Amino acid sequence: MSRARTFADLATASESNSLANRNLIINGAMNVNQRGTQTTIQTGFTLDRWSILSNTAARVTVSQDTNVPTGQGFLNSLKIDVTTADTSVASSDITALLYKFEGQDLQQLRKGTSSAKTLTLQFWVSSPKTGVHTLHFFDMANSRIVATTYTIASADTWQYVNVTFPADTTGALANDNTNQLQFYFGLLAGTNYTSGTLATSWASNSNVNRMVGQVNVLDDAANNFYITGVQMEIGDVATPFEHESFEQNLARCQRYYWEGQMAHAAYATTAIYAEQMMYYPVTMRANPTITISGGTSSNVGGSGTRYNTPTGFAHNIGPSSNGMCYVGGASSPAAMTVSAEL
């Protein structure tokens, strides 16, 4: 457990050098939900920047909810509603709420050096299960892990959690836009992940040491798990949650995913494309995947295929240059999703 930061700590903020931009988590208040409710999923993206990782028989519906801790300034939470329970957990089973980090956003951790920094995590959670819940990092670049636990005292009751993870002087993270580090909020785990000794210090990965003691949050179709106010910051103390404006939060999320409407003024024929140029609202993390739905398919060359990459045009002209995309094929209004997720 880490201590609450004092006014002197807030004034100095020595670990992060400033009070602004100290939360390494995007959308920790669960205010942005471009995809909407994800119904009866096993694995997939949910609220922006969050995803479910699972290989079990359990199924969940993930949605944005207004059930929040009283008096903390939060308007939304991420809700995991169990729709198909898993009461017979196989040894290889795992389910977790997952967050992924770009390496270039973590260079201030100085991971892999003698001056590596500790990390403090805080969040509010309401779990249907009392007992031990696990949290762990997985270093994708160096196959290293560190874990800790928190204990739910009362089921279906909002509880504040505050934990600190040690510094890691081994294994630097690449200074680029790739997924270098992942963080897991445990929900269910089989013996392949629970039969060892919890890795409370950074160590080479051994799956059995990741989620020791984890209760089964998915053992009843009546179970609902809620989380909000997730903040991760450098140092061994927790500062008050950094509330961002919706506009700021949305823009940070749109680096990874956004949705738009498009409408063409022309119709595609066998000789031409009906094309429209659209601009990214922000610079995207990488060259995105563009998916068009709705409208009428183009019939270029008689193929009847909706084209994302018309001849002579790239579907995206560099994520870090002028950020535009050419889309062709739909002759009536259509929806478009643009994804550069980690």
Side-chain angles (χ1 to χ4, degrees):
M1 255 334 147
S2 61
R3 63 181 175 86
R5 193 170 266 184
T6 66
F7 284 111
D9 290 321
L10 292 173
T12 304
S14 59
E15 293 85 358
S16 57
N17 297 317
S18 70
L19 291 177
N21 303 313
R22 64 193 185 278
N23 190 359
L24 298 174
I25 299 285
I26 300 171
N27 201 29
M30 310 301 176
N31 291 333
V32 179
N33 184 29
Q34 296 184 84
R35 292 180 176 87
T37 299
Q38 301 299 298
T39 305
T40 317
I41 65 170
Q42 180 185 34
T43 291
F45 292 107
T46 60
L47 276 64
D48 283 66
R49 302 300 301 120
W50 297 93
S51 59
I52 292 290
L53 173 71
S54 181
N55 63 356
T56 78
R59 296 293 183 273
V60 298
T61 290
V62 184
S63 60
Q64 185 183 60
D65 204 86
T66 56
N67 180 12
V68 294
T70 302
Q72 300 301 318
F74 300 110
L75 299 177
N76 300 111
S77 61
L78 182 152
K79 176 185 179 182
I80 299 174
D81 176 8
V82 180
T83 55
T84 301
D86 185 353
T87 58
S88 181
V89 180
S91 60
S92 61
D93 283 356
I94 181 173
T95 302
L97 179 65
L98 180 63
Y99 189 93
K100 299 178 181 180
F101 297 89
E102 292 181 49
Q104 62 191 5
D105 291 336
L106 300 177
Q107 295 306 301
Q108 64 269 42
L109 298 185
R110 306 179 195 177
K111 191 174 180 300
T113 74
S114 59
S115 57
K117 300 293 186 179
T118 59
L119 276 172
T120 293
L121 172 72
Q122 62 176 299
F123 58 95
W124 285 88
V125 61
S126 172
S127 175
K129 300 286 290 186
T130 58
V132 172
H133 294 57
T134 59
L135 307 163
H136 76 271
F137 280 105
F138 178 57
D139 175 350
M140 300 284 290
N142 304 287
S143 190
R144 291 174 62 76
I145 58 170
V146 67
T148 192
T149 63
Y150 65 99
T151 300
I152 293 294
S154 299
D156 301 315
T157 302
W158 281 106
Q159 179 175 322
Y160 176 72
V161 177
N162 179 341
V163 297
T164 296
F165 292 89
D168 189 15
T169 58
T170 300
L173 303 174
N175 185 22
D176 60 23
N177 65 351
T178 63
N179 177 205
Q180 293 287 296
L181 194 65
Q182 297 184 344
F183 190 77
Y184 295 73
F185 292 82
L187 299 171
L188 174 156
T191 56
N192 285 4
Y193 299 91
T194 63
S195 60
T197 301
L198 194 70
T200 55
S201 298
W202 280 100
S204 295
N205 179 51
S206 177
N207 283 342
V208 296
N209 299 332
R210 286 196 189 196
M211 300 173 71
V212 178
Q214 176 66 49
V215 297
N216 182 1
V217 177
L218 310 182
D219 65 354
D220 192 313
N223 288 356
N224 295 318
F225 179 95
Y226 300 87
I227 189 169
T228 193
V230 184
Q231 180 157 294
M232 188 174 292
E233 55 193 309
I234 293 175
D236 62 356
V237 290
T239 64
F241 185 84
E242 183 180 356
H243 289 278
E244 294 182 300
S245 70
F246 183 83
E247 178 185 25
Q248 290 173 310
N249 199 16
L250 175 62
R252 296 179 75 193
C253 292
Q254 286 176 327
R255 173 172 169 78
Y256 302 90
Y257 177 88
W258 60 275
E259 298 184 353
Q261 283 296 125
M262 54 184 240
H264 293 297
Y267 285 84
T269 71
T270 56
I272 65 169
Y273 293 95
E275 295 171 352
Q276 179 175 338
M277 183 174 71
M278 298 188 71
Y279 291 87
Y280 303 148
V282 300
T283 298
M284 301 205 72
R285 182 190 68 84
N287 289 354
T289 298
I290 298 176
T291 303
I292 300 173
S293 60
T296 304
S297 297
S298 62
N299 191 29
V300 180
S303 65
T305 302
R306 187 176 290 111
Y307 284 82
N308 291 348
T309 53
T311 301
F313 296 105
H315 74 275
N316 127 74
I317 306 178
S320 60
S321 58
N322 52 6
M324 64 180 69
C325 55
Y326 287 85
V327 289
S331 59
S332 59
M336 180 174 68
T337 62
V338 183
S339 177
E341 291 281 9
L342 285 163

